Amino acid sequence: MTDTTAAPPPADFNLAAYLLAANAKRADKVAYADDRSELTYAELSRRVRSFSNVLRTSGVRREERVLLLAHDTVEWPVAFLGCIYAGVVPVAVNTLLTADDYAYMLSHSRARAVVVSQALVPPLEQALTKARCDLDAVWVIGATGDPRHHDFTADVAAAEELRDPAQTHADDAAFWLYSSGSTGAPKGTVHTHANAYWTDALYGRNVLQLSADDVVFSAAKLFFAYGLGNALTFPLSAGATTILMPERPTPQAVFRRLIERRPSVFFGVPTLYAAMLAAPDLPSASDVALRMCVSAGEALPRDIGERFTAHFGCEILDGIGSTEMLHIFLSNRGGDVRYGTTGVPVPGYEIELRGDDGRPVRDGDVGDLYIRGPTAALMYWTNHEKSRATFQGPWTRSGDKYVRRDDGRYVYAGRADDMLKVSGIYVSPFEVEAALVQHPAVLEAAVIGREDADGLTKTKAFVVLKPGHHPGADTEQALKAFVKDKLAPYKYPRYIEFIAELPKTATGKIQRFRLRERERAHAP
């Protein structure tokens, strides 16, 4: 039987030291592999300790921040864990943002140093002309020839190892992640050393049950809370091997790793699973070695999960987590997957659905999702108002709407900001989207509210068609009829607009607020 009651970490606890010590007997085993190189557990330990010493000798002090703007290569975990080992706080940021975004994050975090991939130096340089920060150093992964920059690889190779980790407390700030911005400006979310430990103790060990024999591949990037657990905390805790992919996760890029690297566990997001199934070069089940897949970021449509399992013979464990809670707290379990639901609470977490009055709602009614568990962030940096609104005593308000069924499983109803009231009744955009994507012509869909001539809210769908299907009045009427046949009549989309692609965050979440902005801009 799986142990769901893990012991807490000791008060004096350093996350990086803990993960390195867990693999001291696996010196020759491959910890990470990217397109260029492999890193054994022994070499990972050496480089982490060496970069810690580089930071110390460069004048970066404990609790100061280092911006980590890097693609997913073997240097990423070295930089991240090297900071934590030294008691320095890495701030992992999205690699697909603008120079203005990076200027904001540099200023907001008061970063004292940066670790950056060579390809991302140009936007960083632009950001530095606007940022309010005082940098001690910029380390570049890949030489630039610029005397202002340090060569990350060369400096790490030349440095002696820092023998002892910083004497940090389990509740000390260990790292920051910026929220993905699916509902507006990103927020600097501060996590502790213990938070990452608990994500593995509760979800990694009990739900994933990874072993040292697993090969792990996460399409979700390391800068994303979901990807950080997938490709760092969980595989390092289990002694597994992790495949890293620096480029964007297109279906073809993912297929190549699934076939050539043969991972046993794959982590994706719903939009990627949908795109994979629609791709003409979808590999067969015999071409891959998958035993388990995981989905998060947004709710997985039932049809996508069922078709994926029918093709590959492999379950997708759909779950929900958040940057604020660091990883998944509500999930399906292996052998007990019910597509169309987000499963049940991960042991160690408590869930409440509350109405507008703050009281728990009945099963079957839509409520705001609140979570209580040991992985909640400390705060949003320099944002007291939003911190108090989200972190309410032991509870964290997620901003998601859910329904709890009679069988105890939870069904996603949408983001609180995205919910629609049509004819006085709440309509979940996700429910309409899930119906639309079951149509054989539809690749993706996003639903928002649009006011009609009388000022009443009606549903509008933005639809991305699969290759070979064409927009037009006939297709529009067919989709409306299709949804009417599956849902209550008042829920079908009164308006449909065909679009080439949906606006998304780098983590694959659909940005419905961008669609609402687009709609307002085109309103008469």
Side-chain angles (χ1 to χ4, degrees):
M1 179 179 293
T2 301
D3 179 18
T4 62
T5 57
D12 294 326
F13 180 74
N14 182 287
L15 174 65
Y18 165 77
L19 292 173
L20 296 180
N23 295 288
K25 296 181 179 179
R26 299 189 179 95
D28 297 328
K29 188 179 191 315
V30 174
Y32 285 100
D34 62 21
D35 293 345
R36 298 177 294 104
S37 61
E38 294 183 346
L39 204 60
T40 65
Y41 273 103
E43 186 63 14
L44 174 66
S45 178
R46 190 199 71 76
R47 294 190 191 184
V48 166
R49 297 168 194 263
S50 295
F51 183 58
S52 293
N53 202 22
V54 170
L55 289 167
R56 288 277 183 92
T57 57
S58 299
V60 181
R61 296 172 296 182
R62 285 189 54 169
E63 300 185 10
E64 291 183 331
R65 270 75 66 189
V66 171
L67 199 79
L68 177 53
L69 173 58
H71 292 131
D72 281 18
T73 63
V74 297
E75 291 85 2
W76 202 103
V78 171
F80 184 81
L81 293 174
C83 288
I84 293 174
Y85 193 86
V88 173
V89 179
V91 180
V93 299
N94 186 333
T95 58
L96 298 173
L97 300 179
T98 67
D100 285 344
D101 293 317
Y102 298 135
Y104 166 76
M105 292 173 177
L106 284 162
S107 301
H108 182 246
S109 66
R110 303 168 195 155
R112 294 305 303 265
V114 179
V115 177
V116 60
S117 292
Q118 183 181 30
L120 298 169
V121 169
L124 174 67
E125 292 285 9
Q126 294 177 45
L128 289 172
T129 65
K130 306 175 183 179
R132 301 187 309 276
C133 62
D134 184 14
L135 293 185
D136 290 316
V138 173
W139 283 279
V140 179
I141 299 170
T144 65
D146 190 325
R148 297 172 301 168
H149 300 154
H150 298 272
D151 185 321
F152 179 85
T153 302
D155 281 9
V156 169
E160 294 184 1
E161 298 177 47
L162 187 65
R163 188 184 69 175
D164 297 321
Q167 295 300 302
T168 52
H169 191 280
D171 289 337
D172 277 346
F175 57 92
W176 292 17
L177 300 172
Y178 276 92
S179 64
S180 60
S182 62
T183 57
K187 299 176 286 292
T189 312
V190 182
H191 279 287
T192 69
H193 291 261
N195 286 358
Y197 168 89
W198 280 115
T199 60
D200 177 67
L202 300 180
Y203 176 79
R205 297 180 208 172
N206 295 320
V207 178
L208 296 181
Q209 299 182 22
L210 297 181
S211 76
D213 295 328
D214 277 309
V215 177
V216 171
F217 172 40
S218 175
K221 299 301 183 183
L222 280 159
F223 65 76
F224 180 26
Y226 177 44
L228 182 65
N230 303 343
L232 191 139
T233 311
F234 305 149
L236 291 187
S237 295
T241 295
T242 301
I243 306 303
L244 295 178
M245 180 176 71
E247 73 260 39
R248 296 186 71 169
T250 64
Q252 288 66 40
V254 170
F255 295 158
R256 182 157 72 87
R257 274 76 178 185
L258 294 181
I259 294 169
E260 295 178 1
R261 298 288 190 165
R262 300 185 67 78
S264 54
V265 181
F266 174 67
F267 299 86
V269 296
T271 53
L272 177 57
Y273 285 115
M276 290 167 63
L277 289 172
D281 52 347
L282 179 70
S284 67
S286 61
D287 291 330
V288 303
L290 295 172
R291 73 169 181 86
M292 178 175 63
C293 293
V294 180
S295 181
E298 286 203 309
L300 181 74
R302 177 178 177 177
D303 178 64
I304 300 299
E306 290 176 345
R307 288 197 287 123
F308 190 93
T309 297
H311 182 84
F312 286 108
C314 172
E315 292 179 323
I316 301 177
L317 308 187
D318 186 29
I320 183 175
S322 67
T323 305
E324 292 76 11
M325 294 301 294
L326 193 53
H327 213 275
I328 291 172
F329 48 78
L330 185 62
S331 179
N332 282 274
R333 305 290 290 268
D336 189 31
V337 170
R338 296 294 184 272
Y339 289 124
T341 81
T342 316
V344 298
V346 171
Y349 292 96
E350 294 180 57
I351 302 293
E352 277 192 5
L353 300 183
R354 301 178 187 175
D356 292 340
D357 59 1
R359 297 179 180 179
V361 301
R362 298 173 300 180
D363 286 355
D365 289 346
V366 175
D368 290 306
L369 178 66
Y370 285 76
I371 314 101
R372 178 160 65 181
T375 63
L378 288 174
M379 61 178 156
Y380 298 130
W381 185 257
T382 64
N383 199 329
H384 184 60
E385 180 180 359
K386 288 189 180 295
S387 293
R388 290 193 62 174
T390 298
F391 306 108
Q392 301 180 8
W395 294 93
T396 300
R397 184 178 185 274
S398 74
D400 296 288
K401 295 277 191 179
Y402 263 85
V403 174
R404 185 180 185 272
R405 301 194 321 194
D406 291 341
D407 63 0
R409 297 179 189 273
Y410 288 77
V411 178
Y412 183 65
R415 291 287 298 174
D417 294 340
D418 294 331
M419 290 295 290
L420 309 174
K421 219 166 194 181
V422 179
S423 301
I425 305 172
Y426 272 122
V427 173
S428 163
F430 179 76
E431 184 182 16
V432 183
E433 293 161 6
L436 280 165
V437 298
Q438 294 179 54
H439 192 281
V442 176
L443 176 62
E444 294 180 311
V447 170
I448 65 169
R450 170 181 167 178
E451 286 191 357
D452 64 14
D454 297 320
L456 301 175
T457 298
K458 298 292 190 296
T459 50
K460 175 174 180 176
F462 291 84
V463 173
V464 179
L465 295 174
K466 293 178 181 176
H469 295 273
H470 305 286
D474 290 345
T475 305
E476 181 177 344
Q477 291 307 313
L479 294 181
K480 289 179 178 180
F482 184 79
V483 176
K484 282 182 182 178
D485 190 51
K486 292 187 171 295
L487 303 178
Y490 68 90
K491 296 181 180 180
Y492 86 94
R494 303 313 202 271
Y495 312 99
I496 293 180
E497 181 176 338
F498 297 102
I499 191 170
E501 61 179 347
L502 297 174
K504 298 172 189 169
T505 69
T507 57
K509 293 182 182 179
I510 296 170
Q511 293 177 309
R512 292 173 187 82
F513 77 96
R514 298 288 185 202
L515 296 173
R516 291 193 290 268
E517 290 172 354
R518 170 194 174 113
E519 193 67 16
R520 286 193 293 269
H522 291 86

